[in-house]
Amino acid sequence: MTNINSMKIFIVTAQLECLVSTEDEYKNTHEVKKGLRPNFLYKNHYHTGVISKCNAGIAPGESGTLQAKFILDEESVALLVVGDKIGIYEGPENKLAECNILEICEVEPLS
């Protein structure tokens, strides 16, 4: 069993190519844009984060590139590779976008 007090936590900055869910899939008008603070689903675990760069909002059903910062534990960072899928969610049922990791820009310890 992992001792949570000894687990290292990291802030990951990554470039993502995202396909935003359509209005039919999400049942709401939405846009993925800079400043949004969604949850990121990676390897079946939700992680908090923020969309830190996005030239323009990405509309429902559209795709685009953005930069996100999210928090990962040491075990998840070890699995992180370019090409992996990561989901952007507003809640466990509300998938905003499906993304591919294009580039891992930075991994820095949180503490």
Side-chain angles (χ1 to χ4, degrees):
M1 180 175 222
T2 303
N3 181 352
I4 194 126
N5 293 326
S6 66
M7 189 180 301
K8 293 182 183 175
I9 305 296
F10 297 87
I11 297 174
V12 176
T13 304
Q15 195 77 14
L16 307 175
E17 176 68 31
C18 299
L19 175 60
V20 177
S21 301
T22 65
E23 289 183 37
D24 288 339
E25 293 170 316
Y26 186 66
K27 306 290 185 229
N28 198 349
T29 304
H30 62 283
E31 178 177 77
V32 174
K33 59 187 175 184
K34 181 180 176 180
L36 187 66
R37 295 186 173 274
N39 291 311
F40 294 86
L41 180 65
Y42 181 67
K43 302 290 184 190
N44 295 319
H45 296 285
Y46 287 98
H47 306 276
T48 58
V50 64
I51 296 174
S52 55
K53 289 184 185 174
C54 188
N55 290 340
I58 307 168
E62 300 293 320
S63 63
T65 303
L66 57 86
Q67 189 174 83
K69 291 181 178 267
F70 45 93
I71 296 172
L72 291 181
D73 57 50
E74 189 171 17
E75 292 175 17
S76 296
V77 166
L79 300 172
L80 193 66
V81 294
V82 170
D84 275 354
K85 299 244 183 258
I86 190 164
I88 298 177
Y89 286 75
E90 268 193 330
E93 304 291 321
N94 299 325
K95 185 177 187 177
L96 287 175
E98 178 73 28
C99 306
N100 290 315
I101 299 174
L102 297 177
E103 178 184 357
I104 300 163
C105 304
E106 186 174 19
V107 177
E108 56 185 306
L110 184 60
S111 53

